[in-house]
Amino acid sequence: MTDAPLVRVEHLTHVYPGSDGKKAVDDVSFEIKEGETFGLVGESGCGKTTTGRMLVRLLDITSGSVLFDGKDITSLRGKELLDYRRQAQIIFQDPYASLDPRKKVRDIIAEGIDIHHLAKDREDRDAQVSRLLASVGLRPEHLTRYPHEFSGGQRQRIGIARALATRPRFIVCDEPISALDVSIQAQVVNLLRSEQKARNLTYLFIAHDLSMVKYISSRVAVMYRGKIVETGPADAVYENPLHPYTKALISAIPLPDPENERTRKRIPYAPREQDLRGTLREVDDGHYVLGE
Amino acid sequence: MARQEDGIVLDVRHLTVHFDTYAGQVEAVRDISFELHEGETLALVGESGCGKSVTCRSIMGLLARNARVAEGEILFEGQDLLKLSNRAMREIRGGKIAMIFQDPMTSLDPTMKVGKQVAEAVRLHRKVTKGEAKKRAIELLDLVGIENAEKRYDSFPHEFSGGQRQRIVIAIALACDPKILIADEPTTALDVTMQAQILDLMKDIQKRTGASVIFITHDLGVVANVADRVAVMYAGRIIEIGQADEVFYDPRHPYTWGLLASMPTLHTDDELLYAIPGTPPTLISPPPGDAFAPRNPYALEADRLMDPPLFEVTPTHFAATWLLDPRAPKMDPPENILKRRTEYQVRLSERSAAL
């Protein structure tokens, strides 16, 4: 892992058309270092998915900028945008809805290879797809099957292979395990981690399962109503939350430990205007909290 | 907390439910038995397809048309619910036994004022005037924490947040002071902070009304929070059942070990998570023996051949694995499960020292 940020997000803002100027993402800034996993947490509607989609240019950036490896990708078009999309991939939340039901697994995985002309010939294409399939733990006979023939966990593996196919450097993982059963979640998270090590991948990991985010991320950011209210090393944010919203969020995580659940104190949070004002201030090494 | 000597409200015996599908007969629930005690919360835990929802739908008499109860009985107040006529079952459903569904978006009528939806539930089971029903509905909305209940009576579901909607669904379920409340993943669609509030609300209501609760979930964190007792289901069977502390701190079935080990705690760091290999079996002619055996590194030969009975660990704790047979070789659970056990024993001794 080097210290140079691979992704630098500055004052990112998104306004959905027809929302009367309401900012779904409001002046968000953060950096992701090469090879690291950066976790983005928050409740539904807080803007975390919108942020992730802007980073891979699936959504237009209303204002602000995204630098990828030092290059501004905010308003890339045509060939340059295509090249960026090869390097920045996304894994979606719902493995049931994100795979084309009419395509065979081989062609789903190869789509990126085809679009970006990454294979010399048919043989090379098939060889690449087979390697990808094996690396996500599926078997060769799965190549000619359709998505509906797979379980949720297997479909998410296909989604991961599809994202890896273009040899990206950066992957936005948008709630990749939320739709999966507990025993399958661990399999998929382990797969993401081992691929990250093998390929030196950089992840933005979006989720609402806070224990899993802590486990997989080195640094996290907490979003609330379109803003980042706190960010820092995962351990610091979880063990020493500073923003009142983060405090409430961390105190609400249910843990598989009855004794702990009986004795825990939940911190309620009543939204206040002033909690969302000001800028991110550094309070400890790399640990920032929103305030005036 | 519920004790063994408390009365039994519901007694499920040898329940077996089959579904007829084009692919064949699916054995969704395979000979499960459990008791629900007065005032307790029993959590049914397991992954999708393990039979937890089918079990509850059998109790409610809400099984799909292609489902068949092949065997068993469900005893409630001296009668077998499975033998009741539709009409008699309608009296019980929503009256003495009520259900809270997962998705508050779809379990409310979007075109009807919420107050009216609560009042309707009251009038369905009680001979009261419209005015009395309205008064009761406002009380209920107030009870579940809807502020300005009298004003909000005339609001529509879309005017509420997800958490508030689930509160309204709970108010409807409480309309007739049910003896048993069945909650099917009531907080799964909610954010953690909202989830925490709804769990607190359910515990509070249970304390006030004395209802017994069957709580279905796949989230072990939620289970640890609400449950007095826990039944872990796998492939249509209860493979472990016991008091919450017993199941969380001294689990005996390797599937329970796997579930607990595959969840990161806030202290799990760099090492890879323990992942249960493989996937659950299909329930069209499921394999003999312990259905978990093919995914179980601890499985004995016997687990593959013969159905393990529920072995008694303590008078309140049972697990269906041949590992508990006196003839079985001694085998230690994985390290993090042992750690749970030791940590708990330390806490117990600290507690008794403090007394």
Side-chain angles (χ1 to χ4, degrees):
Chain A
M1 202 190 289
T2 58
D3 268 359
L6 180 70
V7 181
R8 172 179 287 194
V9 175
E10 285 171 346
H11 308 295
L12 199 63
T13 298
H14 188 79
V15 177
Y16 280 102
S19 63
D20 290 333
K22 193 176 171 295
K23 292 169 179 163
V25 173
D26 187 358
D27 193 18
V28 159
S29 303
F30 57 86
E31 289 178 358
I32 313 178
K33 296 187 191 97
E34 179 138 40
E36 107 172 309
T37 299
F38 186 77
L40 199 54
V41 299
E43 59 192 32
S44 42
C46 73
K48 54 191 195 298
T49 290
T50 305
T51 303
R53 291 191 172 204
M54 279 193 285
L55 290 197
V56 291
R57 289 290 309 273
L58 277 177
L59 271 178
D60 284 334
I61 293 165
T62 308
S63 68
S65 62
V66 177
L67 297 175
F68 182 79
D69 205 7
K71 187 178 172 186
D72 190 341
I73 60 98
T74 315
S75 43
L76 290 183
R77 302 177 59 168
K79 242 181 137 176
E80 283 187 311
L81 177 59
L82 193 67
D83 182 56
Y84 174 63
R85 285 188 165 150
R86 186 193 67 70
Q87 298 185 65
Q89 285 286 319
I90 183 165
I91 298 166
F92 294 98
Q93 167 170 12
D94 185 353
Y96 293 85
S98 55
L99 302 176
D100 186 341
R102 294 179 304 175
K103 278 194 172 148
K104 288 180 179 154
V105 167
R106 168 187 284 134
D107 298 314
I108 290 172
I109 296 177
E111 196 173 12
I113 298 176
D114 297 342
I115 289 171
H116 298 285
H117 311 293
L118 297 174
K120 287 196 295 281
D121 48 31
R122 183 116 205 139
E123 209 179 306
D124 183 26
R125 176 189 192 252
D126 287 351
Q128 287 188 30
V129 171
S130 300
R131 273 201 303 275
L132 286 162
L133 200 72
S135 69
V136 297
L138 293 174
R139 290 192 301 275
E141 68 260 30
H142 290 142
L143 278 176
T144 51
R145 295 199 189 152
Y146 291 93
H148 74 263
E149 298 174 74
F150 295 89
S151 67
Q154 287 175 317
R155 279 182 228 205
Q156 202 53 292
R157 288 171 188 272
I158 297 168
I160 293 170
R162 184 199 57 72
L164 294 173
T166 65
R167 297 171 218 154
R169 297 170 68 190
F170 172 52
I171 299 181
V172 171
C173 308
D174 187 5
E175 307 238 15
I177 54 166
S178 308
L180 306 177
D181 274 319
V182 187
S183 79
I184 309 299
Q185 286 186 356
Q187 292 177 7
V188 171
V189 164
N190 284 345
L191 172 64
L192 286 171
R193 284 186 70 135
S194 58
E195 288 302 316
Q196 178 174 40
K197 273 205 186 114
R199 299 165 194 257
N200 193 30
L201 290 165
T202 305
Y203 288 150
L204 176 71
F205 193 89
I206 302 171
H208 63 256
D209 179 338
L210 296 148
S211 321
M212 201 55 101
V213 172
K214 162 131 194 309
Y215 166 70
I216 199 169
S217 315
S218 47
R219 291 189 304 129
V220 297
V222 181
M223 279 188 82
Y224 182 63
R225 298 196 177 174
K227 284 189 181 282
I228 288 180
V229 295
E230 184 160 357
T231 177
D235 290 338
V237 173
Y238 278 72
E239 272 145 39
N240 184 24
L242 297 170
H243 192 276
Y245 176 71
T246 318
K247 284 182 183 168
L249 195 65
I250 304 286
S251 81
I253 308 173
L255 297 173
D257 185 340
E259 187 70 26
N260 182 74
E261 292 298 311
R262 282 192 284 268
T263 52
R264 81 150 71 223
K265 279 266 172 291
R266 285 223 173 81
I267 303 168
Y269 177 61
R272 297 179 307 175
E273 278 292 310
Q274 64 262 39
D275 292 343
L276 287 172
R277 283 204 290 261
T279 50
L280 285 171
R281 292 174 296 122
E282 186 165 12
V283 280
D284 203 355
D285 200 14
H287 188 172
Y288 295 80
V289 63
L290 189 69
E292 288 179 306
Chain B
M1 199 188 294
R3 296 267 177 268
Q4 196 64 350
E5 60 267 26
D6 288 341
I8 291 167
V9 214
L10 188 78
D11 191 358
V12 176
R13 290 187 190 164
H14 304 294
L15 183 67
T16 304
V17 183
H18 294 164
F19 283 80
D20 295 315
T21 69
Y22 289 113
Q25 179 178 283
V26 176
E27 301 179 25
V29 171
R30 305 189 290 149
D31 189 15
I32 70 165
S33 300
F34 64 88
E35 293 157 356
L36 180 68
H37 302 139
E38 220 165 86
E40 79 165 344
T41 298
L42 172 70
L44 288 186
V45 206
E47 303 180 77
S48 26
C50 72
K52 55 193 195 296
S53 289
V54 174
T55 302
C56 288
R57 290 184 165 263
S58 311
I59 299 169
M60 291 296 284
L62 286 175
L63 284 171
R65 274 170 192 270
N66 63 337
R68 208 157 30 82
V69 177
E71 221 197 300
E73 44 192 10
I74 299 175
L75 301 174
F76 174 70
E77 295 188 336
Q79 45 188 353
D80 182 357
L81 293 182
L82 296 171
K83 293 208 176 74
L84 289 185
S85 64
N86 280 339
R87 193 196 190 117
M89 198 57 220
R90 245 195 333 263
E91 290 288 314
I92 289 180
R93 191 190 307 131
K96 286 182 171 157
I97 306 180
M99 187 148 177
I100 300 167
F101 294 92
Q102 172 169 356
D103 186 357
M105 311 284 175
T106 52
S107 46
L108 291 173
D109 182 341
T111 66
M112 193 173 173
K113 291 170 180 170
V114 295
K116 238 179 148 183
Q117 298 191 47
V118 182
E120 187 183 49
V122 176
R123 296 192 67 203
L124 212 58
H125 291 277
R126 287 200 183 151
K127 287 202 178 76
V128 291
T129 64
K130 276 189 180 170
E132 284 163 348
K134 180 170 181 176
K135 202 173 142 240
R136 171 82 180 134
I138 292 171
E139 277 170 25
L140 285 162
L141 287 172
D142 193 52
L143 174 76
V144 297
I146 300 286
E147 281 173 34
N148 293 326
E150 206 162 345
K151 266 193 196 150
R152 298 291 262 164
Y153 185 92
D154 288 321
S155 303
F156 288 94
H158 72 265
E159 297 173 75
F160 293 88
S161 71
Q164 285 177 312
R165 270 179 243 180
Q166 197 57 297
R167 287 173 192 269
I168 295 162
V169 172
I170 293 172
I172 293 172
L174 293 175
C176 300
D177 295 317
K179 284 233 162 62
I180 299 172
L181 203 53
I182 299 177
D184 190 354
E185 306 253 7
T187 61
T188 306
L190 304 175
D191 293 310
V192 260
T193 44
M194 202 55 77
Q195 168 171 282
Q197 289 175 27
I198 296 291
L199 294 179
D200 285 348
L201 171 69
M202 290 198 57
K203 282 188 283 190
D204 179 51
I205 281 170
Q206 187 177 24
K207 226 179 270 162
R208 287 205 236 171
T209 63
S212 307
V213 176
I214 299 179
F215 200 107
I216 306 179
T217 180
H218 65 272
D219 186 331
L220 291 168
V222 170
V223 174
N225 184 279
V226 298
D228 298 311
R229 287 195 308 137
V230 182
V232 184
M233 291 189 70
Y234 185 79
R237 292 233 161 100
I238 290 178
I239 53 96
E240 181 152 10
I241 184 167
Q243 292 184 353
D245 284 357
E246 294 172 325
V247 173
F248 277 95
Y249 300 125
D250 188 19
R252 295 304 179 103
H253 195 286
Y255 177 62
T256 318
W257 295 347
L259 277 186
L260 286 167
S262 63
M263 289 186 70
T265 66
L266 291 178
H267 307 290
T268 314
D269 268 333
D270 261 352
E271 77 268 31
L272 283 185
L273 282 178
Y274 175 77
I276 301 174
T279 46
T282 137
L283 292 177
I284 298 172
S285 53
D290 180 358
F292 185 60
R295 305 173 73 188
N296 177 8
Y298 299 89
L300 303 171
E301 196 52 33
D303 283 312
R304 289 178 226 282
L305 300 173
M306 268 180 300
D307 290 355
L310 278 164
F311 286 96
E312 181 176 320
V313 181
T314 73
T316 51
H317 184 191
F318 301 83
T321 164
W322 286 110
L323 287 177
L324 292 173
D325 189 276
R327 290 162 294 179
K330 274 266 161 278
M331 232 183 278
D332 277 333
E335 204 179 316
N336 53 17
I337 299 297
L338 280 175
K339 217 167 98 192
R340 278 178 172 269
R341 206 188 277 172
T342 344
E343 273 171 22
Y344 182 61
Q345 274 155 2
V346 170
R347 273 191 214 158
L348 275 187
S349 59
E350 275 170 7
R351 208 188 301 164
S352 59
L355 284 178

